[in-house]
Each structure stands twice: as structure tokens, then as C-alpha cells.
Amino acid sequence: MVNIVSLFRENIKRLKPYSTARDEYSGKIGIFLDANENSFGSIPTGELNRYPDPHQKKLKEKLSKIKKIKSENIFIGNGSDEVIDLLLRTFCEPGKDSIITMPPTYGMYKVAADINNINMIEVPLTNEFQIATENVLNAITDSTKVIFICSPNNPSGNLMNKNSIRSILNSFSGIVVIDEAYIDFSDYESWISELENFNNLVVMQTFSKAWGLANIRVGLAFGNQVIISVLNKIKYPYNVNGVSQQIIIKSLDYVFKKNEIVEKIISERGKLTKALLSFVFVKRVFPSDANFILVKVNNANKIYDYLLENKIIIRNRSNMIRCRECLRITVGTEEENKKLIEILSKYGD
Ligand SMILES: Cc1ncc(COP(=O)(O)O)c(C=O)c1O
């Protein structure tokens, strides 16, 4: 077991969180004149005049049932991006501590590290986009506080090897974050089921992908109660707005609908992979457990520009390590994918 509290930054250990009006009086009935809200209502109309629940209690209760995990083990953030930032602010002393990431991977780990003035040690994935376990273990120093593992990884789309993750969890006495933003598109079980075995594990998920709710910014972190409570302590009091909370509470009644759409995306991913492989300019389509596909082509810049001219916007990932001549394509609707293939079939005519 890792001593989590000893990993907290000193100022975080000492921090007294902000106490909201609703923390001081949590009753539901009465005349509320304690939060400097506007008792007349919202403009032009509606009932958005009261601050939202800072603890997202109802939402957590519902999530708790669905994810089969206690509310105390759930943190809700303004997108996963907030969770990444808060984890760094909790555990990493600016100008002193470091994190490990495994490029090519999601770009926000670096941005958050740079903003917080935290050193980032990059240990590239192997040529097959797997964790170079020995290299990661060798890169750990006394100042390494957090290791980010993205699985399925963005932009490669594949899941990270379970044994590699397990050996990092067993050997590292800092925090291991597994970013599962795309887990719904894979057949594999979430690492949430392993939280009981590793108190230094944090699993991140999001409503932005499978749930199609990127606009309302809701991300999740699951972890040991000590970690979750410190994240709650340092977050902005009203980090998840009330409208977002309400929408998610409603959406959670439609898990079947989410599953249906995920099935469609997976089926489209298969069709798209097959179609892409038929083009001579496609050198490789990397296997994907996500809602996007990484494709190695003959001339990525040229194909990217050609698609852009045809109003199809994809992501050119050629400048990332191990991604030379690679394009990342999000799986769209059947119609969108057909159009993409139709346009690509005219490339070079
Ligand atoms: C791996 C990964 N994690 C997190 C996110 C962002 O999630 P959110 O919208 O919840 O901030 C993305 C978005 O592209 C991502 O690719």
C-alpha cells in the first residue's frame, strides 16, 4: 500500500477548503438569503439563479449504482482535463517534481505539466505502441509523483498491455493514472475493478466520447477515498455546472442508447478499416479499440490537404513520435464515412 497522504504537496496538506453557503446550511426548505443569489429568478426566464450542488450528490448516487462503486470513490470534473490539472496540483511541487508520460499520447498531460511548471519525463511507447515497461521503471526517480497511462491510447487507438500496467502499479510508489476516455469502444474491462487492489490507482473516464456529451464538460475520476476527497477539497466549489449535472442524471437512464451507438461506431470502425486498407496509398491501419483510427499513408501532408480541400477535416499526427506519415481519423456516421471513402477513392486521379 502506498502512503497517499505523504505524496500530497505540503500546501495541499495544510489547505482549508472553501466553505459554500450550502455547506453551512444544507436544508432544502426556507428563504435562502445566504449566497448572494438573485431571488427574482434568471434572465430572461427560468430557474438557474441558484448555485449548483458543489458535491454533485444526486449525480454521484446514480453513477455509483451504474459503475458499482461508492460515491466516495467518484470525483466529477469539468471534463477529464480538469482532473488531469487537479492531480498535478495535488501531487506535484512546481519546479521540483516530475511526471512520466508515454508518447505518442494525449497532449493535455504536457500542457497541464507546463502550466504547473512540472517536469515531464517522456518514455516513448514501443513501435507497436505498447508500454516500454523496463524503460518506464528505469525513468522513475525520487521526484516522480504521477505516471499517466492512456488506454486505449490517443492517437494510436490501442489498449495498453495489462501486465505492463500491473508491473508499474506494483513497482511505483506514486500515483498511476489510467485515462480510459475511450474504454467504451473496447471489449476490455475497466481498471475500476482493480481499485481495491491498488490504492495509488486513479481511473479517468469521460462523458465526451461514447456518451456524446463533449459540449457539457463532464469527466470522471475513480480512486481511493483519500485521493478523491483531496480532489474535492481543491476543486473550484462549483466546478460542474447545474445544467450539466441535470443532463448527465437524465442521460444515465439511457445506458442502452449509449451502448447502441457504441455498437454502431464499432461496426463503422470495422467497415472503415477494411475500406482504407483497399487503397494503395494506405500502408497500415493500426488496430483500434477507440472511436478513431490511426492510418499510415504514403504522403500524410498531401492527403490531409486533399481532404481539407474537400471539406473533410481529420487530424495530421505525422509530427508525433512513432507516427511518421500518420493520420488520425475519427469514426463518423455511416454517411460521413462513406463520403470520406468516396473522396479518398478519387485521390490521385
Ligand atoms: C485520452 C483523452 N483523455 C481525455 C480527453 C478529454 O476528455 P474531456 O472532454 O473529458 O476533457 C481526451 C479528448 O480528446 C482524450 O483523447
Side-chain angles (χ1 to χ4, degrees), residues 237-252:
Y238 308 107
N239 63 326
V240 182
N241 73 69
V243 178
S244 296
Q245 290 188 46
Q246 274 173 27
I247 293 175
I248 302 280
I249 288 171
K250 207 162 165 194
S251 300
L252 288 173

Side-chain angles (χ1 to χ4, degrees), residues 79-81 106 109 150 154 179 181-182 206 208-209 217-219:
S80 317
D81 290 342
Y106 182 45
Y109 311 136
C150 189
N154 175 7
D179 186 344
Y182 301 99
T206 178
S208 299
K209 311 295 174 184
R217 313 302 303 126
V218 180

Side-chain angles (χ1 to χ4, degrees), residues 77-84 105-109 150-155 179-182 204-209 213-215 217-220 292 315 328:
N78 192 317
S80 317
D81 290 342
E82 184 191 14
V83 180
I84 297 168
T105 194
Y106 182 45
M108 272 308 287
Y109 311 136
C150 189
S151 181
N153 185 46
N154 175 7
D179 186 344
E180 293 188 338
Y182 301 99
M204 295 200 314
Q205 294 185 355
T206 178
F207 281 91
S208 299
K209 311 295 174 184
L213 293 167
N215 192 289
R217 313 302 303 126
V218 180
L220 305 170
F292 55 84
R315 207 81 195 256
R328 194 194 69 191

Side-chain angles (χ1 to χ4, degrees), residues 110-213:
K110 176 161 171 52
V111 175
D114 286 348
I115 291 170
N116 287 290
N117 191 23
I118 290 156
N119 184 26
M120 189 172 93
I121 301 163
E122 297 187 293
V123 182
L125 294 174
T126 64
N127 284 333
E128 291 304 308
F129 297 119
Q130 274 304 331
I131 298 175
T133 317
E134 281 303 307
N135 296 351
V136 172
L137 297 180
N138 290 334
I140 296 170
T141 69
D142 287 346
S143 69
T144 312
K145 294 294 166 62
V146 184
I147 298 180
F148 282 97
I149 300 171
C150 189
S151 181
N153 185 46
N154 175 7
S156 54
N158 61 316
L159 281 159
M160 295 297 111
N161 183 295
K162 275 203 151 189
N163 290 334
S164 301
I165 298 181
R166 206 174 283 281
S167 50
I168 293 171
L169 275 163
N170 280 320
S171 324
F172 181 49
S173 49
I175 305 296
V176 178
V177 182
I178 305 182
D179 186 344
E180 293 188 338
Y182 301 99
I183 193 70
D184 297 83
F185 305 104
S186 104
D187 285 337
Y188 285 76
E189 207 192 336
S190 161
W191 278 83
I192 289 177
S193 58
E194 293 281 345
L195 285 173
E196 280 174 11
N197 302 325
F198 300 102
N199 73 334
N200 60 334
L201 170 63
V202 174
V203 178
M204 295 200 314
Q205 294 185 355
T206 178
F207 281 91
S208 299
K209 311 295 174 184
W211 289 88
L213 293 167

